[in-house]
Amino acid sequence: MMIPAMALSQYTSKLTGGWTTGTNWVGDVSPPLTGGTKLNNDATIASSTVITLSNSLEVQSGATLTIGGELIITGNITFKNGCTILVETGGVLRIQSSGTNANNSTDVTVNGQLIVDDDFEAGGGSTIEGVGEVTISGTSSGGGTIFGDATGCTGCSFSGGGSLPITLIYFGAEEDDLTVCLNWIVASQINNNYFTIYKSKDGYEWEDVVDIGGHGTTNITMSYKWVDNYVEYGVVYYKLRQTDYDGEYEEFLPIAVTIQDPNNRKEIISTINVTGQEINPQTKGLIINIYSDGSAEKKYNDE
């Protein structure tokens, strides 16, 4: 007698890739989504993987979603009353549209990062607990709370009850003649042992390339710098991890740098505004750069 392949009720990712690709999951079966969006089973995003769901997601009552790695939802997300959500330390849940924590949904814990690119509604009686961070680019609303705080702000962040090991105020990179200079600025540090720089060619597979010592506990703003002398043409990704003396760590979102071949380097030939009028490249606000290869890039000048 043939045993059905869909006998699993607990699903754990093993590779980076799309949600619906079975081979990205232990047992080679992806977590089924009723109607394409409803999760009724337990699912875990392992710490070494990045899973992308090109749809919305509704986590139903009785289902548990655990995120140790990174889960990207291109649509909306809804945490139904009775579901369990756990974003572990170092885990990232990124919602590229809007989110909702349903009325009286009280088992949502964020110890890593919840990032919502649009609006978020905290339903009446709902709570989000933990020691991580929730960042909402749109408007937060509703009668629920996030880390005990009321909603009602736009473009805001909520921090959990635990003190974050560092306060990172800048992490950036600049390319200069086939080298990349990484800079980061930290406003405060608590028990900070060291930083680790990770590097990737595709944003999925990472290798640690250098450890740089931290400064323990201090409220003095400090700057750090590291130069990567081993780069190739194309896009290269970097991310920063901070590790405490007790081994706990915090990881920050990656950044990308494009290393251009000098023989194919494009140049800005014109700068226009959104109405198509040519303007000074130093004009403040939204500008559009037109390049010699015919491509265009939007940029926001705030200096």
Side-chain angles (χ1 to χ4, degrees):
M1 180 177 64
M2 182 176 295
I3 299 176
M6 297 296 291
L8 297 174
S9 60
Q10 165 68 50
Y11 300 80
T12 301
S13 63
K14 63 178 181 178
L15 297 173
T16 288
W19 178 291
T20 58
T21 302
T23 53
N24 291 332
W25 301 84
V26 174
D28 294 336
V29 178
S30 62
L33 299 175
T34 304
T37 62
K38 295 179 175 63
L39 177 65
N40 292 287
N41 297 281
D42 296 346
T44 297
I45 310 301
S47 60
S48 59
T49 62
V50 179
I51 294 294
T52 300
L53 174 60
S54 300
N55 204 339
S56 295
L57 181 66
E58 298 178 17
V59 186
Q60 302 296 300
S61 177
T64 297
L65 175 61
T66 304
I67 302 165
E70 183 173 357
L71 175 60
I72 301 170
I73 307 295
T74 64
N76 304 318
I77 197 165
T78 302
F79 306 140
K80 293 290 190 178
N81 179 18
C83 78
T84 299
I85 307 295
L86 173 60
V87 182
E88 298 177 332
T89 301
V92 178
L93 173 56
R94 175 181 284 278
I95 313 304
Q96 295 183 340
S97 190
S98 299
T100 300
N101 195 19
N103 293 342
N104 301 313
S105 171
T106 58
D107 200 5
V108 179
T109 303
V110 177
N111 293 326
Q113 296 182 75
L114 168 59
I115 303 167
V116 183
D117 291 347
D118 204 336
D119 300 335
F120 187 85
E121 180 180 0
S126 69
T127 61
I128 294 179
E129 305 291 345
V131 296
E133 185 171 3
V134 175
T135 303
I136 301 169
S137 297
T139 299
S140 65
S141 62
T145 60
I146 301 176
F147 301 133
D149 294 330
T151 61
C153 57
T154 299
C156 50
S157 295
F158 299 82
S159 293
S163 298
L164 295 176
I166 69 169
T167 302
L168 181 70
I169 58 179
Y170 175 77
F171 177 48
E174 293 183 353
E175 180 262 342
D176 182 19
D177 193 22
L178 276 182
T179 65
V180 174
C181 181
L182 299 175
N183 292 278
W184 61 102
I185 302 173
V186 178
S188 64
Q189 304 180 48
I190 300 175
N191 296 322
N192 180 23
N193 189 3
Y194 61 91
F195 299 95
T196 303
I197 296 293
Y198 287 81
K199 181 178 177 180
S200 172
K201 293 182 179 180
D202 58 8
Y204 295 109
E205 299 293 330
W206 297 89
E207 63 171 332
D208 55 310
V209 291
V210 66
D211 290 338
I212 295 176
H215 284 81
T217 299
T218 177
N219 288 321
I220 299 175
T221 298
M222 308 197 74
S223 299
Y224 296 85
K225 176 181 178 180
W226 180 72
V227 177
D228 185 2
N229 294 304
Y230 302 97
V231 294
E232 300 175 351
Y233 298 136
V235 179
V236 59
Y237 300 85
Y238 298 92
K239 66 179 178 180
L240 180 69
R241 175 185 288 188
Q242 173 275 332
T243 302
D244 291 348
Y245 288 115
D246 60 5
E248 294 292 324
Y249 65 87
E250 181 182 15
E251 199 165 271
F252 300 91
L253 294 177
I255 58 176
V257 181
T258 300
I259 313 299
Q260 295 184 346
D261 185 335
N263 296 320
N264 298 317
R265 189 178 297 271
K266 60 183 182 181
E267 298 179 350
I268 298 174
I269 59 174
S270 177
T271 301
I272 60 175
N273 59 21
V274 292
T275 63
Q277 297 174 315
E278 190 163 355
I279 58 175
N280 188 308
Q282 305 305 317
T283 301
K284 290 185 178 180
L286 183 63
I287 66 172
I288 302 173
N289 290 324
I290 308 298
Y291 291 90
S292 55
D293 65 354
S295 62
E297 178 186 37
K298 291 182 179 179
K299 178 182 178 183
Y300 189 85
N301 276 342
D302 58 1
E303 298 182 355

